[in-house]
Amino acid sequence: MSFSTCSAPSTACGSGMANDATLRGKTGDAPANTRIDVKQDSSRVKKGWEDELKDRIQVFLGTVHDFIDTLLPCSTPFVATPEVLNAFWAYNRHQGDEISSYPSLLFGLERIVASFPRDKRIAFVDTSDHHVPFPFPAFKDHHHFTKPDISVSFPGSPIPVKPRWEHISMVIEVKDTPEKDPFPRSGDKHVGTVAQLAKNARNLMLAHGFLCSFVVGIYGNIVRLARFDHSYALVSPRIDLRVGGAKLLQKFLWHFVHPLVGRTVVGNDPTMRMLDAESQEWIRLQLRKASPADAEKHLSGLDQGRRVEVYDEATGRCVPFLLYHLVDVNGRLFSRATMVWRAIEDTRVWIDGRLVPDPARTEPVKPRIVKEAWRQVVRPAETGFYRRLQGAIAEGGRIGLAKMAYGGDIGEIEMRWWQETQRCRASSHSISMANALFSTPNINPALTNTSSSVATPLFSSIGSYPPIYNNDAATPGQYPLYYPQHQTYSWRLIDEEYRYLERSHMRIVIDDVGRPLTAFKSTRELVEAVRDAIIGHRQAWETAGVLHRDVSLGNILILDNNNDVDAKPFVGFLHDFDYSSMEPDGAVQEASAGEGTYPDGSAVNRKERMGTYHFMAVELVSGEATTHDIHHDLESFYWILLWVILRHTECSRNGETGEQLWPQVFVCEDDRLAVGAKHWWIVEAAKKRLEIQDNPPLTDLMDSLTLCVSSQTAAHLLARLGHPAPVLTYDTLLSLIDKALADKERWPTNDWKRCTLLDRDARTVPQDTISLLAKNHTSEHAGPLPEFSATKFTPMRGVQSAPRLGTRKVSVSTHSGRPSDRESRPSKRQKTAMSLTPAVPGPDSCSSSSRPPRGRRGSSLNIQPVRQSPRITAKKAASDSPQAPSPPT
């Protein structure tokens, strides 16, 4: 393996760069599934990060000044101080002993920020021997700790000797020699060096809700500045500390702590702030009034909560929410980075710069779910699917489906504002009230909240009230930055052709609050929740024409307070319609065609492999060209039930416990192994069924469902021979489940079991899943096992071979017959439309010309120089002045 570089993006190769068909953390047991998925020295973890970073890093082709001026727009002019020139005179690099150089390095860093204003001065601390766990304690067992070499405080704040991520604004990683600079280098050992930077960037974005994060690598006397977002990473040219490097580093840090938009540092989200003491106390008061289930338990992580502004696309207004309990987090760096929170609406109002209770809002607030994610712009916003569902299904008749209360795509409206600013600057026209004009399309005044004593502000992507803009000299109404920040732009700096790989920041509020399936109180409640989700899936398809296409563990929740008087008529519900398709007529009975539509009416190709890998139907995992249909989603419900039962009940088959059986069934190493494992499970069920202790109804149900799935897995083979084959239907599944639930007397209570597969001393985790498969496989029962090597196998490009963070999301185009981006690439027509609009629904197949650039084939981490940004050609003086930045030329 090698790292490669080239002077310009090369001709696209077949597989493409942006492989998003990797593992995705899910609610409950996710993101990790076993301890081997968490250990830092695990080959799975190392391979996972290598795959995560592959083809996702570019070396910025302009100068270091260009890198800083373009990516860190500054509110206050930078002026170098003379004493900084010799700041690192004492910096001694000791080959093989980098730690001994830290004192002199820290001395130099402190010296270059000594002239900063006190409220902008940052502090540095050696944390190379300090374990910093994952930012959220509830998920720390799912991710290994990190040890940042040098941690940087927030401006004007001290930093503890042993800080947590909440104290850290930036990380500096140090190596002893310039030869360890990984940008670019050859050799597998440099993957770990880059992964260090990437892990720190990921943790910073999660801990603080950053829109992007910055990390620094120091390799001997060579310095690299790196900017990460959820789509890509850009690295600066080399900085030599011996030749003007101290001045450049001082300029970088100055810009970092003087953001043009946002609080504290560049990358801070101006629509989000951490909870202060008053807000935390107000949340406690409101929850005491509402008395939701497990309120005290959910308040345990309140100090990590945040206040966010939700864009309501129905009214164009800003609806603030207080997030107090993290339900789920996707720990991947280059991904949707989904975070799911319990939250309450902040009904307080701003008076004299303080949030105070609104006397006109006397009704109690109720907990809701706020989902935050970065969708790829080529896919439609999830809000469109919810609007379709809620328009087609009457509120009283809704069963097993989540309901959206508010929601909108912040990146999309910011992109419109930015585009209009660019157009008006080019034509010298003014754009007064641009926030209102371009942040609030299609407003329905009748939906605007009027119950407040203070007018609800229109939403603004730089902060609705108060706006977080740090330059009074800007032209009113103009978007103040060179590029949008709620929509990534790293790919566009390479070439506008690749903008479909960018991601857009969105938030939605779900009216229904639930807990993970893995937190069931009894197996009967578990089965009831899955039954209701199946009913909801049926409603979505038959009433609204929406096919979910991603039925998975995290996308089914058990409704909170389902025993209350005001409870809804269901126990569980289906949510997360990010990857759904929609029929044009809105109401269908059978899926037959391979084309559906997106909410705007554009076509979507259903002939692609879509879903969360562990729960996908066998036919889809096999990679054969097929239309994603209803029965594929229905099969996913079976694999979800089996997943939870094996991990959270006392069960066994042939003398092996559920936790011993789980890794033999749910294999993520390779498509052939995954299909072989599920076939093995189904065929072995004919010989010996799974026994759930003291639970005859569930034992019988799983036996019946297994036989149904067995028939379905053979359906496509029988169809080739011209024989009609049974497939799973709504009626089949629901009748079996209802029959089992009718046997009320024999269902046990409180039969949830804690899964120990993530325990540090777990001995049930097999070290070689392949060996287990080979051992348990018998040709007379399962046919020949697909050929593979026990020590090495070569997965198809784009399908990762290391399940490191849990279940993975997969989309494979069946037109080409090979894996591609999870987020399908656009057609030539769509790419043309994307140059005019900020978000383009309707992924389609693409020609090789639409694929992103690559380095040499066979490299483990292709790091390439990025083309010079148009912004770089503007006068450098513009970035160092307090005036609003000039538009890109």
Side-chain angles (χ1 to χ4, degrees):
M1 294 184 179
S2 64
F3 300 93
S4 65
T5 185
C6 55
S7 59
S10 60
T11 303
C13 297
S15 58
M17 289 182 68
N19 173 28
D20 216 348
T22 52
L23 310 180
R24 175 190 174 205
K26 301 297 289 184
T27 307
D29 292 298
N33 300 314
T34 64
R35 192 64 200 165
I36 198 172
D37 297 336
V38 180
K39 295 176 63 177
Q40 188 166 4
D41 57 353
S42 163
S43 60
R44 291 186 181 183
V45 172
K46 292 179 179 178
K47 184 65 167 67
W49 274 103
E50 178 183 330
D51 292 335
E52 177 87 351
L53 298 170
K54 192 177 185 67
D55 302 324
R56 293 298 190 93
I57 299 177
Q58 292 275 358
V59 176
F60 197 85
L61 198 59
T63 66
V64 178
H65 284 291
D66 297 329
F67 178 93
I68 297 171
D69 294 338
T70 302
L71 302 180
L72 293 93
C74 184
S75 63
T76 306
F78 165 72
V79 179
T81 54
E83 64 271 16
V84 77
L85 298 179
N86 297 318
F88 295 97
W89 66 270
Y91 175 40
N92 296 316
R93 304 173 303 280
H94 301 279
Q95 186 168 356
D97 185 17
E98 63 194 48
I99 296 178
S100 63
S101 67
Y102 287 0
S104 58
L105 180 59
L106 289 168
F107 173 81
L109 292 169
E110 295 285 359
R111 188 170 182 181
I112 64 175
V113 300
S115 62
F116 287 18
R118 184 177 297 274
D119 64 333
K120 294 293 184 180
R121 199 173 304 159
I122 49 181
F124 307 86
V125 64
D126 175 3
T127 51
S128 60
D129 197 35
H130 172 50
H131 293 179
V132 185
F134 189 69
F136 301 101
F139 296 86
K140 65 181 178 63
D141 289 340
H142 300 161
H143 305 271
H144 61 75
F145 61 82
T146 54
K147 296 196 296 183
D149 289 340
I150 295 176
S151 298
V152 184
S153 75
F154 279 89
S157 300
I159 186 167
V161 176
K162 295 184 177 181
R164 300 187 299 271
W165 282 110
E166 64 195 74
H167 305 122
I168 303 172
S169 68
M170 184 194 297
V171 163
I172 301 174
E173 293 290 346
V174 183
K175 300 296 179 186
D176 54 347
T177 65
E179 288 70 31
K180 293 182 180 179
D181 174 11
F183 304 108
R185 293 286 178 183
S186 297
D188 295 343
K189 61 182 179 180
H190 293 288
V191 175
T193 304
V194 180
Q196 276 185 318
L197 300 178
K199 292 173 188 177
N200 291 322
R202 184 273 311 269
N203 289 338
L204 288 168
M205 283 192 280
L206 289 178
H208 306 293
F210 284 167
L211 303 176
C212 66
S213 60
F214 291 86
V215 291
V216 177
I218 299 180
Y219 312 102
N221 59 288
I222 298 301
V223 178
R224 297 280 193 174
L225 314 174
R227 177 195 183 275
F228 286 81
D229 57 34
H230 286 296
S231 177
Y232 209 56
L234 295 172
V235 180
S236 74
R238 291 160 62 104
I239 300 173
D240 193 334
L241 287 177
R242 300 171 303 183
V243 186
K247 178 182 177 181
L248 289 170
L249 194 54
Q250 185 187 44
K251 178 180 179 179
F252 165 73
L253 294 175
W254 178 272
H255 278 239
F256 179 67
V257 300
H258 288 86
L260 193 60
V261 168
R263 303 172 183 84
T264 62
V265 297
V266 175
N268 176 268
D269 182 354
T271 68
M272 186 278 291
R273 64 176 68 201
M274 305 306 289
L275 295 179
D276 57 22
E278 288 186 3
S279 294
Q280 293 183 32
E281 185 57 35
W282 194 80
I283 291 173
R284 291 189 179 95
L285 176 62
Q286 298 305 311
L287 292 183
R288 281 197 294 268
K289 293 179 180 179
S291 300
D294 300 322
E296 288 302 318
K297 176 183 176 182
H298 297 154
L299 289 172
S300 60
L302 188 57
D303 58 336
Q304 294 181 311
R306 49 198 68 177
R307 183 185 192 269
V308 300
E309 296 173 353
V310 176
Y311 166 56
D312 180 24
E313 64 183 18
T315 65
R317 300 290 175 175
C318 166
V319 186
F321 272 81
L322 301 173
L323 317 184
Y324 63 87
H325 175 246
L326 183 62
V327 177
D328 187 20
V329 58
N330 177 355
R332 287 192 52 225
L333 172 60
F334 300 127
S335 70
R336 292 192 301 168
T338 304
M339 300 183 78
V340 179
W341 295 81
R342 280 186 173 86
I344 58 174
E345 184 179 350
D346 189 356
T347 58
R348 297 173 298 171
V349 294
W350 287 100
I351 296 179
D352 297 330
R354 290 186 63 237
L355 283 166
V356 298
D358 185 354
R361 299 288 297 271
T362 58
E363 70 280 7
V365 296
K366 67 174 185 177
R368 284 172 166 156
I369 288 290
V370 172
K371 174 184 174 182
E372 188 165 22
W374 290 77
R375 68 171 182 91
Q376 199 164 15
V377 296
V378 75
R379 290 200 177 275
E382 188 178 0
T383 53
F385 292 104
Y386 276 112
R387 288 197 306 270
R388 177 73 169 267
L389 290 171
Q390 289 166 204
I393 303 172
E395 174 61 23
R398 177 174 62 94
I399 297 178
L401 286 174
K403 177 186 176 182
M404 182 182 72
Y406 309 102
D409 193 306
I410 305 171
E412 185 174 342
I413 61 170
E414 185 174 71
M415 174 60 74
R416 287 198 294 268
W417 183 12
W418 177 80
Q419 288 176 329
E420 183 63 15
T421 297
Q422 299 302 100
R423 184 188 67 80
C424 292
R425 281 174 175 167
S427 60
S428 300
H429 292 160
S430 63
I431 52 170
S432 60
M433 297 300 293
N435 282 328
L437 291 174
F438 303 107
S439 299
T440 55
N442 304 319
I443 294 176
N444 182 356
L447 298 177
T448 302
N449 173 33
T450 58
S451 62
S452 174
S453 61
V454 177
T456 306
L458 294 173
F459 183 88
S460 171
S461 63
I462 63 170
S464 300
Y465 185 84
I468 312 302
Y469 183 53
N470 306 316
N471 192 332
D472 296 332
T475 303
Q478 289 192 355
Y479 183 72
L481 299 175
Y482 301 125
Y483 296 98
Q485 57 178 354
H486 288 276
Q487 195 170 113
T488 62
Y489 59 86
S490 302
W491 284 101
R492 279 178 287 227
L493 292 179
I494 304 171
D495 195 307
E496 183 68 21
E497 177 183 8
Y498 306 122
R499 77 169 303 277
Y500 68 92
L501 294 170
E502 303 289 13
R503 293 185 174 275
S504 193
H505 190 199
M506 49 80 68
R507 292 188 182 115
I508 61 174
V509 179
I510 301 300
D511 217 17
D512 305 293
V513 178
R515 50 193 157 87
L517 279 180
T518 51
F520 64 88
K521 296 177 181 177
S522 68
T523 48
R524 180 180 175 85
E525 181 185 58
L526 166 69
V527 173
E528 287 176 333
V530 172
R531 174 204 60 192
D532 291 341
I534 295 173
I535 295 173
H537 189 283
R538 184 176 199 167
Q539 276 193 337
W541 174 247
E542 295 183 352
T543 306
V546 173
L547 184 62
H548 193 280
R549 300 203 304 169
D550 184 23
V551 175
S552 57
L553 180 66
N555 291 345
I556 303 174
L557 295 178
I558 300 172
L559 192 68
D560 278 355
N561 293 330
N562 55 65
N563 291 323
D564 286 357
V565 176
D566 297 328
K568 295 182 173 62
F570 50 88
V571 175
F573 61 92
L574 185 67
H575 70 109
D576 197 347
F577 288 83
D578 279 7
Y579 296 102
S580 300
S581 65
M582 186 182 297
E583 290 303 297
D585 61 356
V588 293
Q589 296 299 321
E590 296 293 336
S592 56
E595 300 293 330
T597 65
Y598 280 137
D600 69 341
S602 59
V604 55
N605 170 36
R606 288 220 322 269
K607 287 187 176 180
E608 61 180 352
R609 188 171 66 165
M610 176 66 67
T612 302
Y613 195 80
H614 279 311
F615 310 110
M616 287 169 58
V618 173
E619 185 180 8
L620 294 178
V621 176
S622 68
E624 298 182 9
T626 186
T627 297
H628 194 126
D629 220 328
I630 301 170
H631 61 272
H632 296 123
D633 277 8
L634 295 180
E635 184 179 330
S636 295
F637 286 105
Y638 167 78
W639 297 116
I640 292 170
L641 265 177
L642 182 62
W643 170 292
V644 179
I645 288 170
L646 292 180
R647 293 172 71 99
H648 290 284
T649 69
E650 296 290 352
C651 60
S652 63
R653 190 173 82 173
N654 284 335
E656 292 184 291
T657 67
E659 291 190 5
Q660 291 172 326
L661 291 167
W662 178 88
Q664 301 177 58
V665 182
F666 294 98
V667 176
C668 201
E669 304 292 340
D670 179 84
D671 287 351
R672 295 169 298 171
L673 294 177
V675 171
K678 288 186 174 181
H679 273 304
W680 165 79
W681 173 261
I682 292 169
V683 173
E684 282 291 300
K687 179 179 179 182
K688 182 70 174 178
R689 69 179 188 170
L690 179 69
E691 295 288 342
I692 297 99
Q693 182 176 310
D694 299 326
N695 200 334
L698 185 55
T699 298
D700 293 341
L701 173 63
M702 292 306 297
D703 187 41
S704 299
L705 292 177
T706 302
L707 293 176
C708 290
V709 172
S710 176
S711 299
Q712 173 154 304
T713 56
H716 65 287
L717 298 176
L718 294 173
R720 290 182 180 180
L721 300 175
H723 299 294
V727 294
L728 290 175
T729 65
Y730 292 118
D731 289 336
T732 301
L733 259 64
L734 291 174
S735 63
L736 291 174
I737 293 175
D738 287 340
K739 179 182 177 181
L741 292 174
D743 190 3
K744 296 181 180 180
E745 299 300 324
R746 295 200 296 168
W747 282 92
T749 59
N750 301 319
D751 53 339
W752 176 87
K753 178 185 80 71
R754 189 180 72 86
C755 179
T756 63
L757 288 177
L758 277 169
D759 290 357
R760 296 181 183 276
D761 60 348
R763 292 178 173 82
T764 58
V765 181
Q767 296 301 308
D768 192 344
T769 302
I770 298 174
S771 299
L772 280 170
L773 279 175
K775 180 188 75 172
N776 288 317
H777 179 84
T778 53
S779 59
E780 65 265 29
H781 292 301
L785 191 69
E787 295 181 1
F788 62 90
S789 166
T791 58
K792 178 182 179 182
F793 54 91
T794 306
M796 299 170 68
R797 170 75 174 149
V799 176
Q800 311 305 328
S801 34
R804 80 200 171 285
L805 293 176
T807 52
R808 66 175 180 177
K809 194 77 67 176
V810 172
S811 169
V812 176
S813 170
T814 55
H815 291 294
S816 62
R818 63 176 169 226
S820 64
D821 256 8
R822 178 181 74 193
E823 319 287 5
S824 305
R825 299 190 181 94
S827 64
K828 182 176 180 181
R829 171 185 61 80
Q830 291 169 321
K831 288 194 296 177
T832 301
M834 274 191 284
S835 65
L836 303 175
T837 58
V840 180
D844 203 343
S845 300
C846 69
S847 64
S848 61
S849 63
S850 68
R851 296 178 179 128
R854 285 178 49 86
R856 294 194 301 269
R857 302 186 71 172
S859 63
S860 63
L861 185 58
N862 296 322
I863 302 173
Q864 309 164 349
V866 62
R867 288 175 180 168
Q868 187 164 324
S869 164
R871 161 73 188 91
I872 298 172
T873 62
K875 289 184 178 180
K876 187 174 91 61
S879 65
D880 290 336
S881 70
Q883 304 297 321
S886 303
T889 57

